[in-house]
Amino acid sequence: MYLNLYKPGRPTRWSITFACQLAFVLFGYDQGVFSGIIGNEHFLDTMNHPNDSLMGIIVSIYNLGCFSGCILNFFIGDKLGRRRCMWFAMGWIIVGAALQTSAFGVPHMMVGRYITGIGTGIETSTVPMYQAELAPANIRGMLVCSEPLFVGVGIVISYFFDYGLSFVANPPGMAWRLPIACQMIFAFVVVFMVFGLPESPRYCYQKGRKDEALQILCKVYDAPPDDPKVRREENDILETIELEREQGEYQWRNILKRDRVQTGRRVLLAYGMQFMNQMGGINLVVYYVPEALEQNVGLTRNLSLIIGGCIQVMFVIGSFYPTFYSDKVGRRAPMLWGSFGLGVSMMMIAILLSFNGTSKEHATASAAVAFFFTYMLIFGASVNCIPWCYVPEILPLHARAKGTAIGISSNWLWNFFVVMITPILLNRLAWKGYLVFMVTNFLFVPLVYFCYPETANLTLEEIDYIFSDDTKNSVKWSLEMRKERTKYGRRESFVEDGDMRRRRNSAGDGGSMDNGRTLRDSSDEGKIAGQAEHSEKI
């Protein structure tokens, strides 16, 4: 069902953005709500005081549900479409939140968290893709990177809501049941907003619904069908669909197959990007920072909660940087310096906490708190936001729904792993546990540098052509394209016309930018300008 609730142009674009950001506030709220609950006395009494291993499972089974939701979305995403997947996700979240709120035992709570996780998995593997497919290339990074910013907002809201209610003793259980129940408020608002949002035009073109797709483009841009911007985007999408359909529908068995647009490699890049998002140790801080401050640093429970909340705020502050500058600085640079900075922070925490039990214990433990702050600030400014933007960007349209599900499933699988082992790391390894995440963060720096192409300021269709050119390394090719786009602006498209591509293929031309790859002038749709003519125009 589609209701025409929003006016064409900017109101529609803002409504799409707001609904996507609210969905990610819900995601952040779900992520952070348990950090202030797992130490609540009434909660512990209700759950019969679980040990560290069982507590890790109670908390992390939510992430296992998220992983399951991503896998489910792999099979249903292309059938339901972007809008209906968002509805479907909210339904799971509402049911799961109701079960958690009414829980009176560990099995009941675990079932509720698992069901909520399924909804979050579907949500997080749909919303960034939906936002990316409806966003102009020049601000796509800002819009999609703002989603993790709102994850941080949700985490902070849930954290301080938990803290405020921790002083409420009556009625018993209010301090932890009410924060869990409030998840449903966000979900119901998203359900209502989606009624007025259009489907992704790229999804409609892929399914052969060309008239509907063109109407959506016209509504999003508030322009007639013959407007150059609408025509350029329509032509780019159709040309890319033609290129991708040469490979047939993407299947599981093709995950490592090197086809014309390198689908398998791009799915692995998406998976690896979300792996980096989690294996840097973020959920040690998000879920367990009060326990880390209390057990490893030696602070009181109340002071640990207050400082933990301030550390969560750094997540939000840091996230403003990629939200407004990711399209200018790109995707690679924040991942490079971010991973290095996270590694240094974890190294300093480990070094300073290693003095526990000595005469310098108090001073070094206090200094270690500063590096929890730097860790969260750097994470928010880099590894928090970039993967959520990069995954839907890097994937080809014919595999975008399935590939995004696989990529985001990496986030939840390794999220589950980190959250499950963190209580054991904190209790049994103490400061040595932080060295694990120091090593992983340092290893991510060369991985990003050598393997991950730049995607900023390129359309989703142009990113396909980074990988379809066999004559040039995709990382080098992407940097050259972005440099030219940044220098000369958005006047040309790097996507080849279908006739030109077929002529080049039949002639056996390798198709590099210098020996056949041409630019299409956006002011004169359908004409192909050679490289010399392009230089003359500039």
Side-chain angles (χ1 to χ4, degrees), residues 26-38 43 47 50 54-69 89 91-123 158 162 176-177 179-181 183 283 286-288 412 415-416 418-420:
L26 170 60
F27 165 34
Y29 188 94
D30 289 347
Q31 281 278 90
V33 73
F34 246 63
S35 64
I37 286 175
I38 56 179
F43 172 80
M47 300 298 142
L54 182 57
M55 181 61 77
I57 295 172
I58 293 172
V59 176
S60 63
I61 198 169
Y62 165 79
N63 304 301
L64 194 59
C66 294
F67 174 77
S68 302
W92 284 92
I93 290 172
I94 290 167
V95 172
L99 288 172
Q100 290 182 72
T101 303
S102 60
F104 280 92
V106 171
H108 191 165
M109 176 60 72
M110 290 175 67
V111 170
R113 283 186 63 73
Y114 183 78
I115 290 175
T116 301
I118 291 175
T120 304
I122 298 170
E123 169 200 346
S158 66
D162 286 343
W176 62 273
R177 295 187 189 276
I180 291 175
Q183 298 172 71
N283 278 301
V286 170
Y287 282 105
Y288 296 109
W412 293 116
N415 190 321
F416 166 76
V418 171
V419 173
M420 186 175 67

Side-chain angles (χ1 to χ4, degrees), residues 171-225:
M174 174 68 74
W176 62 273
R177 295 187 189 276
L178 182 60
I180 291 175
C182 285
Q183 298 172 71
M184 292 183 280
I185 296 174
F186 296 103
F188 278 120
V189 175
V190 172
V191 167
F192 173 76
M193 289 200 68
V194 173
F195 275 106
L197 300 182
E199 183 54 89
S200 162
R202 286 171 170 83
Y203 174 79
C204 292
Y205 278 120
Q206 184 188 27
K207 297 300 180 182
R209 292 148 46 183
K210 295 183 180 180
D211 292 340
E212 180 184 353
L214 182 59
Q215 290 175 4
I216 292 169
L217 287 175
C218 293
K219 180 170 184 177
V220 169
Y221 292 116
D222 192 17

Side-chain angles (χ1 to χ4, degrees), residues 85-382:
C85 275
M86 291 173 69
W87 274 321
F88 191 51
M90 294 305 116
W92 284 92
I93 290 172
I94 290 167
V95 172
L99 288 172
Q100 290 182 72
T101 303
S102 60
F104 280 92
V106 171
H108 191 165
M109 176 60 72
M110 290 175 67
V111 170
R113 283 186 63 73
Y114 183 78
I115 290 175
T116 301
I118 291 175
T120 304
I122 298 170
E123 169 200 346
T124 53
S125 56
T126 300
V127 173
M129 174 173 56
Y130 177 69
Q131 178 84 85
E133 290 184 339
L134 281 157
N138 62 319
I139 60 170
R140 186 177 63 242
M142 182 187 75
L143 294 177
V144 182
C145 282
S146 67
E147 291 171 355
L149 166 64
F150 284 90
V151 173
V153 171
I155 290 173
V156 171
I157 290 172
S158 66
Y159 191 95
F160 283 104
F161 192 30
D162 286 343
Y163 178 73
L165 286 174
S166 67
F167 297 99
V168 177
N170 290 302
M174 174 68 74
W176 62 273
R177 295 187 189 276
L178 182 60
I180 291 175
C182 285
Q183 298 172 71
M184 292 183 280
I185 296 174
F186 296 103
F188 278 120
V189 175
V190 172
V191 167
F192 173 76
M193 289 200 68
V194 173
F195 275 106
L197 300 182
E199 183 54 89
S200 162
R202 286 171 170 83
Y203 174 79
C204 292
Y205 278 120
Q206 184 188 27
K207 297 300 180 182
R209 292 148 46 183
K210 295 183 180 180
D211 292 340
E212 180 184 353
L214 182 59
Q215 290 175 4
I216 292 169
L217 287 175
C218 293
K219 180 170 184 177
V220 169
Y221 292 116
D222 192 17
D226 59 352
D227 183 88
K229 182 186 295 185
V230 173
R231 291 176 61 194
R232 181 178 64 240
E233 186 152 345
E234 181 183 41
N235 288 338
D236 281 1
I237 294 170
L238 291 174
E239 292 296 341
T240 303
I241 289 174
E242 180 185 350
L243 172 65
E244 292 175 353
R245 281 181 176 168
E246 295 173 5
Q247 315 304 321
E249 185 180 358
Y250 176 73
Q251 302 289 341
W252 269 106
R253 62 179 177 269
N254 296 329
I255 189 169
L256 296 178
K257 181 180 178 181
R258 181 168 180 172
D259 56 20
R260 174 75 185 279
V261 291
Q262 299 188 47
T263 300
R265 179 189 168 195
R266 293 161 74 176
V267 170
L268 291 177
L269 288 174
Y271 188 91
M273 184 62 81
Q274 287 290 351
F275 174 83
M276 289 185 271
N277 180 273
Q278 289 303 313
M279 286 306 293
I282 180 58
N283 278 301
L284 181 153
V285 183
V286 170
Y287 282 105
Y288 296 109
V289 69
E291 280 62 38
L293 294 173
E294 190 173 359
Q295 296 174 22
N296 299 148
V297 180
L299 303 180
T300 64
R301 178 65 183 175
N302 189 59
L303 184 58
S304 296
L305 288 171
I306 294 172
I307 292 179
C310 295
I311 291 172
Q312 307 289 5
V313 171
M314 302 303 290
F315 184 99
V316 178
I317 294 173
S319 295
F320 276 101
Y321 174 76
T323 298
F324 294 104
Y325 293 102
S326 63
D327 290 308
K328 182 178 294 186
V329 302
R331 314 290 190 251
R332 283 163 46 88
M335 289 297 294
L336 290 170
W337 60 255
S339 296
F340 181 79
L342 296 178
V344 170
S345 296
M346 283 294 186
M347 178 180 69
M348 294 306 299
I349 291 171
I351 291 172
L352 293 167
L353 292 182
S354 69
F355 287 92
N356 283 359
T358 69
S359 59
K360 299 178 181 179
E361 175 181 0
H362 180 72
T364 56
S366 299
V369 174
F371 288 97
F372 281 104
F373 278 86
T374 61
Y375 179 94
M376 207 59 156
L377 182 67
I378 293 170
F379 184 85
S382 57

